Amino acid sequence: MSVQFTLTDVNKANQQEVIDVVVEDVKDVNSNKISKTTTEDVAFIDTTLPEAISAEVVGNDTIKVKFSEPLLSSTVQKGAFSVNDGKLYVKSVSALNNNTEVNVVIYSKLTDGTVKIQAKNSLTDCAGFSVLNKSFELDVVEDKDVPEIVDYKDAKPGEVTLIFNEDIEQLDASTAKYYHTNTNNTVNSATVQNGKELKLVFTTNPLPEGTAYVYIEKEVISDLWDNKNVKLQYKVEVTVDELAPELDKLEVKSEKQIKLTFDEDVTDVTKSDFDVLDGDGKEVNIRRVTVSGKEVTIDFYDNLSGVYTIVIEGIKDNSDNTIAKTTQEFKVDDLTAPDFASFEAKLYNAGAADQKIKVDFKEKMATDGKYSVLDLENYKVGSYSLAKLDCDVTIVAVNDGKSVEITIPSKVDDSDDGVDLTAADDITLARVADAAGNYTQALASTNGQINVVSAGNVTVSKVEATGTK
C-alpha cells in the first residue's frame, strides 16, 4: 500500500527544494487504475543526521555495516572505513539495499577473535549530512554452515527471486546450473542482488503457473565464508496471471520513433501487430519494432507530423494472455526544416500538349502565407521565372499537400507565349515552409539543386489471356 522511490544522485532534489509529485497509471490488485494525482509543494527537508546503526561479520573477509538512511553513492569509498585502526587494508566496498548497507571487504582473512571497524564522517546522506564517526567491535566466529534458501518473492512465469539466510556470491553463472521442474527448463540469467537475493529469469522456459520447484546445482554459489551450497530445491507458488496486458503510456521520442509502455512484459510482438494511420486514414509504413520487457519501440521510415492513430492487437504477455484491441491517438510535432536537396521534380509532356512539372516535397507543405509552395513567385525553371511568363501558368497542390503540379503551356498549347521545357531546365526555388511552419534554412536553392527529370513512358511488355473473359 506504500511505495518508496529514490532519485538518482544526479537528479536528487536540493535541500529545502519544493516540488510537485505526480502519480498516474498505478493499479490496485483488481487492475483499477488510479486517477492522475498531483501532490503540490512537497518540501525536501532532511534535518536528521545519518547514523551507522550496526555491523556484523558476514564472511571471512567481509563486514557489513548498516545505516539509518540511504547514503550518497559517491561517498561510499574505501577510505570511508577503517578496519583495526587501519592495520587491515580495505580491498573494496559495495552498497546494498538502497544504499542503506555497505559490505566492506578486506585483503586479509579474518580469524577467530575480535575485529574493529569504523565508519567515518566522509560518508554522507543525500542531503549532505555526514555520518557521525562510529566504531564497532565485533566477534569473529567462523561460519561452517552452507547457505540455504529461506524464502522467495516476485514469483511469476518469467522470474522468481530466491532469498537466502545469508549473503552469497556466485561461483558459476552457467545457465545450465539453474532450472525448474527438470534440467531442460534452464534460466536465461541468474544474478545476485542485495547480498542475500538470487534473481532467476525464465524468459525462454517460463515457470508453470501454480506450484513449481526450482533447482540449483551444488557448488555454484557460496556464502562469504566460502561454504559452497549443496544441491538445492525450493518450492514456489507462481502467481496465476489471467489479466491481458494493457497499454500504459505512449511517448513520442522523435519524428521517426514512438515508444509504447505496457503494464507487464509483452511477447509475440511483430510489425503486423500495429496499424498506424495518419489524419486521412492512410497507413504509415513501419520500419522496425524492438521489444525490451514492457517497452516496445516503433521506428518509421519517414518523418511523422500531425495527428496519428495506432491500433494494437495480437500482443501477448508471458502467460499467453492476448491484449484487447487497443486504439490510441497521438500527435507528432514537425521540428525538421524542409531541405531543398530532398525535393524531386519530374517533367511530363515536354514540348507537347499539357506540359507540366510535378515537384515532390516528401512532406505536407504550407499552401498559404509568406513561404507557400503555391506562390509562383517562388519558382524559376531554367531561365524562366514562372510568375513573369505571359502564358497561363497554373499551380495546384496534390498528394495531400506533399506535392505540387505546375502546368506550363508549351508552344503546342500556346503558340504565341508558350515555352518548351526540357529536362535540362532545373528548378530554382525560393524559401518555402512545411505545414508545421518550419522553413528551408537557405533563402533559395542553389543552381541545379532541384534536378528535373523526364517522366518515363509506360509500355506494355506482355498481353496474355487469363480466362475466357
Side-chain angles (χ1 to χ4, degrees), residues 56-57 61-65 83 102-104 110 115 117 138:
E56 61 179 316
V57 177
D61 61 357
T62 307
I63 303 169
K64 182 190 294 289
V65 184
V83 181
V102 177
N103 275 0
V104 180
L110 294 169
V115 64
I117 187 168
L138 309 170

Side-chain angles (χ1 to χ4, degrees), residues 173-213:
S174 304
T175 56
K177 304 292 186 179
Y178 311 84
Y179 53 91
H180 71 80
T181 311
N182 59 58
T183 54
N184 293 322
N185 298 306
T186 56
V187 299
N188 290 84
S189 65
T191 52
V192 176
Q193 57 187 23
N194 291 326
K196 298 180 180 181
E197 298 177 359
L198 181 69
K199 182 177 181 179
L200 305 179
V201 177
F202 291 97
T203 305
T204 306
N205 304 304
L207 288 157
E209 294 180 344
T211 301
Y213 288 88

Side-chain angles (χ1 to χ4, degrees), residues 20 28 40 53 63 69 74 105 114 141 147 154 163 200 203 212 232-233 268 289 329 333 335 342 367 397:
D20 296 341
D28 66 14
E40 297 181 343
I53 55 177
I63 303 169
E69 59 178 299
S74 59
V105 181
T114 60
V141 180
D154 301 333
I163 303 172
L200 305 179
T203 305
L232 297 171
Q233 170 192 293
D268 195 28
V289 171
E329 190 176 273
D333 293 325
L335 304 175
S342 68
T367 54

Side-chain angles (χ1 to χ4, degrees), residues 11-82:
N11 294 318
K12 69 184 182 70
N14 294 319
Q15 177 74 300
Q16 300 188 44
E17 183 176 354
V18 176
I19 67 171
D20 296 341
V21 176
V22 181
V23 181
E24 58 182 329
D25 296 333
V26 175
K27 297 178 181 179
D28 66 14
V29 292
N30 297 315
S31 292
N32 301 306
K33 192 178 292 187
I34 192 173
S35 300
K36 184 175 180 179
T37 305
T38 301
T39 304
E40 297 181 343
D41 299 335
V42 176
F44 281 71
I45 300 177
D46 183 0
T47 59
T48 305
L49 296 178
E51 295 182 63
I53 55 177
S54 66
E56 61 179 316
V57 177
V58 295
N60 55 21
D61 61 357
T62 307
I63 303 169
K64 182 190 294 289
V65 184
K66 297 183 178 181
F67 296 86
S68 59
E69 59 178 299
L71 300 175
L72 188 64
S73 297
S74 59
T75 67
V76 181
Q77 305 286 341
K78 292 191 295 182
F81 299 89
S82 174

Side-chain angles (χ1 to χ4, degrees), residues 151-373:
D151 204 353
Y152 69 93
K153 66 179 183 179
D154 301 333
K156 45 193 173 185
E159 65 182 58
V160 63
T161 298
L162 303 177
I163 303 172
F164 285 77
N165 62 327
E166 56 185 324
D167 284 18
I168 58 172
E169 57 186 1
Q170 206 164 12
L171 303 177
D172 189 343
S174 304
T175 56
K177 304 292 186 179
Y178 311 84
Y179 53 91
H180 71 80
T181 311
N182 59 58
T183 54
N184 293 322
N185 298 306
T186 56
V187 299
N188 290 84
S189 65
T191 52
V192 176
Q193 57 187 23
N194 291 326
K196 298 180 180 181
E197 298 177 359
L198 181 69
K199 182 177 181 179
L200 305 179
V201 177
F202 291 97
T203 305
T204 306
N205 304 304
L207 288 157
E209 294 180 344
T211 301
Y213 288 88
V214 178
Y215 298 87
I216 302 175
E217 292 289 358
K218 67 178 182 179
E219 298 185 352
V220 296
I221 61 173
S222 73
D223 61 17
L224 303 186
W225 296 92
D226 296 334
N227 299 306
K228 299 177 182 178
N229 71 296
V230 298
K231 184 172 181 177
L232 297 171
Q233 170 192 293
Y234 205 78
K235 177 182 175 181
V236 300
E237 296 295 330
V238 181
T239 303
V240 178
D241 180 8
E242 297 178 347
L243 298 175
E246 295 181 6
L247 179 64
D248 261 352
K249 183 168 56 176
L250 186 154
E251 300 172 272
V252 177
K253 308 303 289 186
S254 73
E255 292 164 278
K256 285 189 175 181
Q257 186 183 88
I258 60 174
K259 185 171 80 172
L260 310 176
T261 303
F262 295 86
D263 62 347
E264 59 180 314
D265 290 355
V266 290
T267 61
D268 195 28
V269 182
T270 65
K271 290 197 291 185
S272 62
D273 296 324
F274 306 94
D275 290 314
V276 179
L277 310 174
D278 65 15
D280 297 321
K282 296 179 182 178
E283 189 169 348
V284 178
N285 289 329
I286 296 173
R287 180 179 184 180
R288 179 175 55 244
V289 171
T290 53
V291 185
S292 177
K294 299 179 181 180
E295 297 178 349
V296 176
T297 301
I298 301 178
D299 294 289
F300 301 95
Y301 284 101
D302 300 316
N303 284 352
L304 305 188
S305 176
V307 177
Y308 294 82
T309 301
I310 186 169
V311 182
I312 308 168
E313 53 186 333
I315 291 175
K316 298 181 179 181
D317 61 18
N318 290 324
S319 299
D320 213 32
N321 300 306
T322 304
I323 192 172
K325 185 175 181 179
T326 302
T327 302
Q328 173 104 14
E329 190 176 273
F330 64 97
K331 182 181 179 182
V332 181
D333 293 325
D334 181 0
L335 304 175
T336 304
D339 183 5
F340 287 121
S342 68
F343 300 165
E344 296 178 355
K346 188 172 288 189
L347 173 62
Y348 295 85
N349 305 323
D354 197 25
Q355 176 179 257
K356 67 176 62 178
I357 289 178
K358 182 178 181 180
V359 182
D360 183 12
F361 301 103
K362 309 294 180 63
E363 64 174 312
K364 193 169 184 178
M365 303 295 286
T367 54
D368 55 27
K370 185 176 180 180
Y371 302 122
S372 168
V373 293

